[in-house]
Amino acid sequence: MYNHRPVEKKWQKIWEKRKLWRAVNPPAGGKPKYYALIEFPYPSGDGLHVGHIRSYVALDVIARKRRMEGWNVLYPIGWDAFGLPTENYAIKSGIPPEVATDRNTKTFRRQLKSLGFSFDWQREINTTDPNYYKWTQWIFLQFFKHGLAYKDSSYINWCLACRIGLANEEVTGGRCERCGGLVEKRLRKQWLLRITAYADKLLAGLDKVNFLEKIKTQQRNWIGWSEGRLIQFPASSLQLPVFTTRPDTIDGVTYLVLAPEHPFVSKLLDDKKIKNKQEVKKYIQWAMARTDIQRQESKEKTGVELRGFKAINPYNQEKVPVWVSDYVVMSYGTGAIMAVPAYDERDLEFAKKFRLPVKSRPLVPEKKWPGKKQVNYKLRDWVFSRQRYWGEPIPIIICESCGYLPVPEKDLPVKLPKVKNYQPRSDGRSPLASVASWVKVKCPGCAGPAQRETDTMPNWAGSSWYFLAYAVKESKSYQLQAKKLLKYWLPVDWYNGGMEHTTLHLLYSRFWNLFLHDIGIVPCAEPYQKRTAHGLVLGEGRIKMSKSRGNVINPDELVEEFGADSLRLYELFLGPFSEAVAWDRRGIVGMNRFLSRICGLLSKQQSKKAGELRDHQLAKLVHQTIRKVSDDIEAMHFNTAVSALMILLSELEKKSAASLVPHSYFLIFIKLLFPFAPHLAQELWRGLGEKSLLDEQPWPAWDKRLIKEDTFTLVIQVNGKTRGRLKVKIGIAQKEAEKAAKEHPAAAGHLRGKEVKQVIFVPNRLINLVVV
Ligand code: ANZ
Ligand code: ZN
């Protein structure tokens, strides 16, 4: 066992003092820039989790390798600190969210530093810092001024437990993504961001970036591009538009269906056209009270016909009945469909249940399709307000005569006022609504009495531009309009994060960046050049880690017992980086033993006194390892890179006993180890008499000639038929090859009792024995 504690403390101090990881703003001495990014954490009260670390170690390895390769690296860190857990904690404990946040970030900072991550701490950001959210609010105002932020009454997903509205992206299987509670539809006035206006750009941009294919697929499916036709069906005195992707089936339409929320329904109910009003009203009431999960899970189709009129099929003039059913959703297409039970499963089910006709008619050729071309997206506008305290106040003033007005930019930030009570109000408004002195303002338009918007932004706001914030942070302020900085640092060269953010943060932040690009703030349209994803770290036995199960692993204890280097190595050795892996305590013990062996070997080496004898096999292995570790890091095959280091270590151990290892090989080994286990590597480097810091050392290069294979696979044929293959030395002579071929068991059977008449030899390829 080596004593990791003094070693790790010592080098962390030296690194901090030398400010090695500061990203240098342009001109940066002509060095090319490299921007490596991980998803900044939410500083929860529980502290850092071993799951967080996996991604951070991976990009730390990349960042350290890049520095050695001569890049000006930006590898930043910060806190995504607004959000519900801190607010809920405030409700329970009475401790103000900013106090809890401050305490939590202190813990996270200490923990991250104890792991030796090479973050540029000078650029640390915090989304709850008024200097920071001033710009979050400023960006919101730009959206507002461009008509992309608007307030609207719409049916939103309402979490009954959290008492907040959720975006579609935050609802999974009809339940709240945060608390798992039931979600129902509620009509509410909400702020929305018009992300749908960017659906095309969000799709097209995917062709230009290097994202994992599964990430692109998820985003494409989420945006949900669909081309079809908008077809008008005359119905009573109205024209009823439907969206269909199968206009060729129009001859077989036997009824139409409207969503229960469809405005057409209430219009007809007012018009006194409908004979079964009570029945329709009852059905609508019933349908609207159902939660999304009930709608999705119900197997039984339900519905009611609007009796008293018929719609006309514009293709064949047939009269068709109009139904209301909740299998049609209001938020897609036009909220109305033409039903073709002969071709569509769901329509067939409905038709069977309500005894509606099924007509198999031939498909209609394209030139006869009515309606006009229409592209639809599954993507919905982003519900951007929350009725909670711990978020960025939406910088809008509401005046009875002037309407919604932006807070003048010079008055930003609109700071969160202190409140006494963090509990959501029973009227559903934010606790901010209770702070009269904050709410009452002078209207910037007419100078009359007006009120502040009391909604706050969702927890996704601050992270939608944080990758820009790092680039433009100078001391305490953010130079978002400083083109030079964004031009130099953007796009992010390599961004790693969780798959769970693909249709949330990753989509939102691309949207913000695209918009900021359009208004001339950001020079590039796409913010991330490359995006990869790590697999989850599960608890022992592949069970999800959670507080309630008591199986959350605290990195502090591991750092104390085994050291940061062992933990870092283990995080990467756990298994393939992109796959979920289960924690196993024995694994970290193994890593610690590996480091102890390295220590044992290298502390015996006196500087420059090791053997200088040439050993071709060892030289080859050293250079093959350089190549393997280099390539594996780039491909995120960290586990196999570590294995390669283990193989090399065993060989070095064997050969050094016989004094066969040139000193330079030990140095190479340490350099390869450095990105993974920086503390110990740096200590051993110093131990071998090297004065420099490894961050400033060049990454080793491999010698192409040395790693060239010196064998090839000889094809053995008898009478032109391949009978076997054999690994032999390159340049093998015909005589030797012939002997080897004759002795090869697969060939021997065909040669028995026969005479070789002729030998055809193609050097370094094949040998053909011709027999009779
Ligand atoms: C007639 C038809 C015949 C249809 C057929 C499909 C198959 P995507 O690909 O998802 O865009 N549809 C349209 N709006 C809807 C809504 N608001 N709620 C539920 N269903 C809706 O699917 C488009 C198809 O889904 C449309 O084409 C429509 O049914 C249905 F053999 O029209 B189709
Ligand atoms: Zn006014």
Side-chain angles (χ1 to χ4, degrees):
M1 276 280 274
Y2 77 102
N3 191 354
H4 56 82
R5 287 181 206 99
V7 172
E8 295 186 349
K9 290 242 164 60
K10 169 177 143 196
W11 289 106
Q12 281 166 15
K13 248 195 218 135
I14 294 175
W15 288 332
E16 185 147 353
K17 228 168 75 204
R18 293 283 295 267
K19 303 179 175 73
L20 277 178
W21 308 318
R22 283 211 181 159
V24 185
N25 278 340
K31 271 193 182 181
K33 68 92 185 181
Y34 198 88
Y35 189 171
L37 185 65
I38 44 105
E39 290 175 335
F40 64 158
Y42 175 71
S44 72
D46 306 331
L48 202 61
H49 181 287
V50 290
H52 287 118
I53 303 175
R54 202 168 182 213
S55 172
Y56 306 169
V57 185
L59 259 63
D60 196 55
V61 168
I62 310 257
R64 284 176 182 274
K65 178 166 179 272
R66 288 289 182 277
R67 285 191 199 96
M68 294 172 84
E69 289 167 337
W71 302 79
N72 175 27
V73 173
L74 170 56
Y75 186 40
I77 185 73
W79 320 110
D80 189 12
F82 275 130
L84 271 185
T86 308
E87 180 160 348
N88 290 340
Y89 176 73
I91 292 170
K92 259 195 257 154
S93 66
I95 293 173
E98 67 277 9
V99 174
T101 298
D102 191 52
R103 196 182 59 200
N104 296 346
T105 55
K106 279 203 178 94
T107 306
F108 269 69
R109 199 180 294 116
R110 175 187 59 72
Q111 291 183 305
L112 291 175
K113 288 192 172 179
S114 80
L115 280 152
F117 293 126
S118 63
F119 293 128
D120 178 356
W121 286 97
Q122 218 191 339
R123 293 180 192 241
E124 178 183 338
I125 60 173
N126 185 330
T127 56
T128 66
D129 167 10
N131 282 325
Y132 184 97
Y133 69 67
K134 167 187 169 179
W135 289 100
T136 315
Q137 292 173 333
W138 183 84
I139 296 169
F140 178 88
L141 288 183
Q142 310 313 307
F143 276 119
F144 182 73
K145 288 172 187 172
H146 286 82
L148 295 170
Y150 63 100
K151 205 168 189 181
D152 195 18
S153 278
S154 60
Y155 285 94
I156 61 149
N157 306 299
W158 183 260
C159 171
L160 297 168
C162 299
R163 291 203 234 168
I164 55 167
L166 303 171
N168 281 357
E169 291 87 337
E170 294 171 302
V171 181
T172 31
R175 288 176 181 275
C176 171
E177 191 235 8
R178 296 209 149 255
C179 79
L182 274 183
V183 171
E184 66 174 36
K185 293 275 178 206
R186 281 217 183 151
L187 194 62
R188 265 199 164 270
K189 259 205 147 164
Q190 295 282 1
W191 284 96
L192 291 110
L193 290 189
R194 216 181 288 281
I195 189 173
T196 52
Y198 275 76
D200 277 327
K201 285 186 174 173
L202 286 166
L203 268 184
L206 289 174
D207 297 332
K208 296 185 209 125
V209 291
N210 175 15
F211 287 10
L212 284 187
E213 207 46 46
K214 64 177 176 185
I215 295 176
K216 289 191 182 185
T217 306
Q218 273 194 21
Q219 289 209 344
R220 284 192 187 112
N221 290 345
W222 186 261
I223 296 165
W225 184 92
S226 167
E227 195 187 61
R229 299 253 160 174
L230 198 75
I231 300 179
Q232 301 283 352
F233 282 72
S236 178
S237 57
L238 300 159
Q239 291 283 332
L240 180 65
V242 307
F243 174 70
T244 178
T245 46
R246 295 294 309 275
D248 56 338
T249 65
I250 190 163
D251 203 15
V253 173
T254 57
Y255 61 100
L256 303 184
V257 188
L258 304 178
E261 305 92 331
H262 201 290
F264 201 95
V265 178
S266 43
K267 241 184 239 165
L268 283 164
L269 284 174
D270 289 346
D271 267 6
K272 308 186 184 352
K273 282 254 157 51
I274 298 174
K275 289 190 184 138
N276 56 339
K277 253 184 214 170
Q278 284 319 311
E279 196 191 355
V280 174
K281 276 189 184 158
K282 239 173 99 186
Y283 175 74
I284 292 171
Q285 255 175 17
W286 174 82
M288 302 285 285
R290 299 215 307 162
T291 62
D292 261 9
I293 198 167
Q294 287 168 320
R295 277 200 195 190
Q296 282 162 15
E297 282 177 0
S298 77
K299 304 225 160 48
E300 195 68 12
K301 291 265 182 307
T302 62
V304 61
E305 186 186 348
L306 294 173
R307 275 195 266 124
F309 76 105
K310 293 262 194 298
I312 312 274
N313 183 333
Y315 176 76
N316 56 21
Q317 311 309 317
E318 285 176 8
K319 285 190 176 155
V320 291
V322 181
W323 284 69
V324 176
S325 169
D326 69 358
Y327 85 93
V328 173
V329 294
M330 192 57 225
S331 54
Y332 188 66
T334 63
I337 65 154
M338 58 179 223
V340 194
Y343 286 96
D344 185 284
E345 273 301 316
R346 290 175 310 167
D347 295 347
L348 182 62
E349 242 179 80
F350 191 84
K352 274 188 184 155
K353 166 143 186 198
F354 293 102
R355 298 173 192 287
L356 289 156
V358 180
K359 292 182 185 166
S360 320
R361 299 263 175 87
L363 295 178
V364 175
E366 182 169 351
K367 53 183 185 301
K368 291 192 184 162
W369 294 346
K372 59 171 200 274
K373 264 202 187 136
Q374 160 119 350
V375 169
N376 261 334
Y377 296 93
K378 294 254 155 44
L379 187 68
R380 300 272 74 92
D381 277 346
W382 171 11
V383 179
F384 200 71
S385 43
R386 301 289 181 272
Q387 293 69 46
R388 299 299 292 239
Y389 173 76
W390 193 228
E392 302 86 347
I394 290 180
I396 292 286
I397 289 168
I398 306 160
C399 167
E400 273 189 20
S401 34
C402 310
Y404 296 116
L405 291 179
V407 168
E409 285 180 18
K410 66 171 173 42
D411 295 341
L412 297 180
V414 177
K415 283 196 196 166
L416 269 174
K418 297 236 177 310
V419 299
K420 287 201 193 76
N421 186 355
Y422 301 97
Q423 197 83 36
R425 289 159 49 112
S426 54
D427 62 1
R429 293 180 72 197
S430 144
L432 290 177
S434 307
V435 192
S437 59
W438 182 82
V439 173
K440 276 193 208 144
V441 282
K442 211 156 84 177
C443 169
C446 67
Q451 301 203 324
R452 285 193 191 283
E453 173 59 75
T454 58
D455 282 357
T456 53
M457 298 187 199
N459 60 308
W460 307 104
S463 59
S464 292
W465 72 280
Y466 82 113
F467 50 95
L468 304 174
Y470 288 133
V472 301
K473 189 179 183 211
E474 288 196 310
S475 77
K476 286 202 158 76
S477 63
Y478 297 86
Q479 312 298 324
L480 190 60
Q481 284 151 306
K483 295 232 159 52
K484 196 177 91 185
L485 292 176
L486 290 180
K487 194 159 182 221
Y488 180 74
W489 288 113
L490 269 282
V492 171
D493 294 281
W494 192 333
Y495 190 14
N496 187 75
M499 278 309 283
E500 71 275 20
H501 293 136
T502 302
T503 56
L504 293 157
H505 157 69
L506 198 66
L507 195 65
Y508 295 153
S509 55
R510 287 185 58 224
F511 163 47
W512 281 41
N513 193 84
L514 279 164
F515 167 68
L516 290 171
H517 171 65
D518 282 351
I519 64 167
I521 299 291
V522 187
C524 54
E526 285 295 329
Y528 317 121
Q529 176 44 39
K530 174 173 182 164
R531 168 78 180 196
T532 51
H534 55 268
L536 283 180
V537 177
L538 304 168
E540 308 236 359
R542 296 194 79 79
I543 300 164
K544 204 176 164 183
M545 282 191 203
S546 75
K547 237 166 115 182
S548 57
R549 286 195 189 88
N551 65 346
V552 176
I553 308 231
N554 183 345
D556 285 346
E557 289 161 24
L558 298 170
V559 169
E560 174 60 22
E561 190 173 353
F562 302 104
D565 286 339
S566 298
L567 179 53
R568 293 170 59 108
L569 269 173
Y570 180 52
E571 289 272 348
L572 298 180
F573 194 64
L574 266 167
F577 186 68
S578 60
E579 288 169 25
V581 284
W583 192 262
D584 179 354
R585 194 183 158 83
R586 283 166 307 180
I588 191 168
V589 177
M591 286 303 121
N592 189 258
R593 209 171 295 137
F594 170 55
L595 292 178
S596 296
R597 267 172 63 199
I598 296 174
C599 228
L601 174 68
L602 290 177
S603 51
K604 271 187 259 153
Q605 297 306 319
Q606 297 296 312
S607 54
K608 321 261 183 202
K609 289 220 178 101
E612 296 295 344
L613 283 179
R614 278 271 153 204
D615 177 323
H616 181 68
Q617 276 315 109
L618 184 60
K620 191 169 147 184
L621 182 66
V622 167
H623 284 266
Q624 278 175 336
T625 309
I626 298 174
R627 182 170 72 171
K628 174 120 184 92
V629 172
S630 305
D631 290 352
D632 281 356
I633 288 175
E634 296 305 321
M636 299 194 121
H637 296 158
F638 301 108
N639 53 338
T640 53
V642 175
S643 308
L645 287 174
M646 291 174 168
I647 292 168
L648 181 57
L649 175 68
S650 297
E651 210 50 31
L652 291 176
E653 282 172 338
K654 262 189 245 155
K655 302 256 154 106
S656 76
S659 287
L660 286 171
V661 182
H663 184 72
S664 62
Y665 290 178
F666 291 119
L667 297 183
I668 289 174
F669 181 84
I670 293 174
K671 280 187 176 181
L672 295 179
L673 179 70
F674 175 66
F676 300 91
H679 309 85
L680 182 62
Q682 183 62 62
E683 177 73 10
L684 295 170
W685 183 257
R686 181 60 58 90
L688 292 188
E690 299 294 329
K691 296 272 178 306
S692 58
L693 289 173
L694 277 162
D695 302 76
E696 294 164 345
Q697 282 292 309
W699 183 252
W702 64 87
D703 185 331
K704 274 197 198 118
R705 287 163 307 163
L706 273 173
I707 60 173
K708 232 169 88 193
E709 281 301 329
D710 45 17
T711 58
F712 75 100
T713 306
L714 176 73
V715 175
I716 302 169
Q717 299 183 333
V718 178
N719 288 346
K721 261 212 174 112
T722 301
R723 299 295 182 187
R725 287 190 166 80
L726 195 62
K727 253 203 166 157
V728 294
K729 271 219 194 90
I730 289 176
I732 188 172
Q734 179 168 343
K735 273 258 145 33
E736 262 180 277
E738 196 179 319
K739 186 163 174 269
K742 283 179 179 163
E743 284 164 6
H744 192 279
H750 299 276
L751 298 172
R752 198 163 301 130
K754 292 180 182 158
E755 195 190 332
V756 177
K757 280 271 171 194
Q758 199 192 341
V759 176
I760 300 162
F761 180 61
V762 184
N764 298 334
R765 283 266 310 277
L766 69 80
I767 187 154
N768 182 12
L769 308 173
V770 183
V771 296
V772 286

